Amino acid sequence: LTDVGDSLRCMGFTTVLYLGDSGSNTRGMQGAANALNAKYRGKPANFYHIPEYYDYDSVQEYILNTLKIEEMMDIGTSRGWADGLHEDYGIDALMALEDPETIRFEQRVKAGRAIINGVPLEPLSTLLEHGRQFLDLRTRLTIAGIKKAMAGPPESYGQPNQ
């Protein structure tokens, strides 16, 4: 990640944003941004990790509080899935929005397994509508995170962002 950021700086980028969709990568992205900010101190580039992009807690809360769907899983954890799979309704809806085959939608329907953590994946039209809502929510959260991060230089160059 540090090499990629440095390479982008060498190509003329003056702002590098690290966005990741895997929880285990967030520390590495923040570490790369911190290391590069400490090294270059904004000349000629600033590096930011945007943790809001990976805010699935807000998606899970939206599912529960706005859609009134009670998914059988622990909100805010990377465990506690009722079906015992590293999978949840929010991620399935987003993946199906790109292509329903990424969640094996037809195979699940055929096998009578079009459900995750107690939430039906059928009808597909509802799943896709929810996916659009989740995409909109995550986009708004990410834009707010970018605006917050870029309101000034990265927090005290080389110091971990809080």
Side-chain angles (χ1 to χ4, degrees), residues 14-68:
T14 58
T15 301
V16 176
L17 305 176
Y18 288 97
L19 302 139
D21 205 20
S22 174
S24 62
N25 293 333
T26 58
R27 265 183 259 123
M29 288 182 281
Q30 186 63 63
N34 289 348
L36 291 167
N37 284 322
K39 182 175 182 178
Y40 296 112
R41 299 196 165 293
K43 297 187 186 340
N46 286 306
F47 303 84
Y48 302 90
H49 170 233
I50 310 299
E52 291 84 355
Y53 181 77
Y54 188 69
D55 183 357
Y56 280 105
D57 290 355
S58 290
V59 173
Q60 292 170 339
E61 290 168 7
Y62 183 90
I63 292 168
L64 180 63
N65 299 323
T66 302
L67 298 179
K68 306 295 185 206

Side-chain angles (χ1 to χ4, degrees), residues 137-149:
L137 173 63
R138 288 191 65 208
T139 300
R140 286 186 281 115
L141 292 169
T142 302
I143 290 170
I146 292 169
K147 287 179 179 179
K148 176 183 166 190

Side-chain angles (χ1 to χ4, degrees), residues 12-154:
F13 287 87
T14 58
T15 301
V16 176
L17 305 176
Y18 288 97
L19 302 139
D21 205 20
S22 174
S24 62
N25 293 333
T26 58
R27 265 183 259 123
M29 288 182 281
Q30 186 63 63
N34 289 348
L36 291 167
N37 284 322
K39 182 175 182 178
Y40 296 112
R41 299 196 165 293
K43 297 187 186 340
N46 286 306
F47 303 84
Y48 302 90
H49 170 233
I50 310 299
E52 291 84 355
Y53 181 77
Y54 188 69
D55 183 357
Y56 280 105
D57 290 355
S58 290
V59 173
Q60 292 170 339
E61 290 168 7
Y62 183 90
I63 292 168
L64 180 63
N65 299 323
T66 302
L67 298 179
K68 306 295 185 206
I69 296 172
E70 293 194 34
E71 185 172 10
M72 297 183 308
M73 64 180 290
D74 298 333
I75 292 178
T77 68
S78 60
R79 59 194 169 287
W81 297 283
D83 289 347
L85 303 172
H86 185 89
E87 180 179 13
D88 64 60
Y89 184 72
I91 291 174
D92 279 3
L94 286 165
M95 289 175 63
L97 190 57
E98 174 63 26
D99 179 359
E101 282 305 304
T102 62
I103 64 165
R104 299 185 183 123
F105 182 79
E106 291 300 326
Q107 293 93 330
R108 285 174 139 171
V109 170
K110 186 176 179 181
R113 300 276 304 150
I115 190 167
I116 187 63
N117 301 322
V119 182
L121 300 175
E122 294 183 279
L124 181 59
S125 60
T126 299
L127 181 66
L128 296 177
E129 175 54 32
H130 289 163
R132 283 187 282 279
Q133 292 174 33
F134 305 154
L135 178 61
D136 178 67
L137 173 63
R138 288 191 65 208
T139 300
R140 286 186 281 115
L141 292 169
T142 302
I143 290 170
I146 292 169
K147 287 179 179 179
K148 176 183 166 190
M150 295 184 63

